[in-house]
Amino acid sequence: MPEEDANLQTVMGLIMNGGNAKGAAFEAIKAAKAGNLDQADAKLKESDKFLAEAHNAQTDMLTKEANGEHAPVTLLMVHAQDHIMNAITFRDLAGEMVDLYKKLED
């Protein structure tokens, strides 16, 4: 696979995993709001799984960069990194909100 295609595949994977992580985190908030706390916890774990996939791809890219294999910085790459950072922030906030709903339930 040509290097450019591999970079595009990695970038698209980051975007997809970021979107899936954020979506699962949002579903966790909705589940907690409805009183489905076990489902909320499961959705947070699902979000974490998607974020781990994205983190592994980022680690691979950073390792290559450190070894002198520089990836081109494109608008799509910047968008992918932004997507991941927003997903991480949203996941953190979702975890706090689920915890709050749990306290309200008690």
Side-chain angles (χ1 to χ4, degrees), residues 34-64:
N36 300 326
L37 299 177
D38 289 338
Q39 182 183 7
D41 286 337
K43 288 296 179 179
L44 289 176
K45 286 180 183 173
E46 184 180 330
S47 179
D48 290 341
K49 190 174 90 174
F50 287 120
L51 288 175
E53 288 292 322
H55 176 75
N56 290 340
Q58 282 182 317
T59 300
D60 183 54
M61 292 170 64
L62 289 169
T63 300
K64 287 178 180 176

Side-chain angles (χ1 to χ4, degrees), residues 1-57:
M1 176 182 308
E3 186 177 336
E4 188 175 307
D5 290 346
N7 285 336
L8 181 60
Q9 187 174 7
T10 300
V11 168
M12 294 309 291
L14 289 173
I15 291 170
M16 288 187 329
N17 281 308
N20 289 339
K22 186 176 176 186
F26 190 75
E27 289 178 23
I29 294 170
K30 289 189 333 187
K33 186 176 181 180
N36 300 326
L37 299 177
D38 289 338
Q39 182 183 7
D41 286 337
K43 288 296 179 179
L44 289 176
K45 286 180 183 173
E46 184 180 330
S47 179
D48 290 341
K49 190 174 90 174
F50 287 120
L51 288 175
E53 288 292 322
H55 176 75
N56 290 340

Side-chain angles (χ1 to χ4, degrees), residues 77-96:
M77 175 70 76
V78 171
H79 175 69
Q81 295 298 326
D82 183 53
H83 221 56
I84 295 300
M85 293 306 300
N86 281 314
I88 291 168
T89 302
F90 198 88
R91 165 49 183 99
D92 290 344
L93 182 59
E96 293 298 318

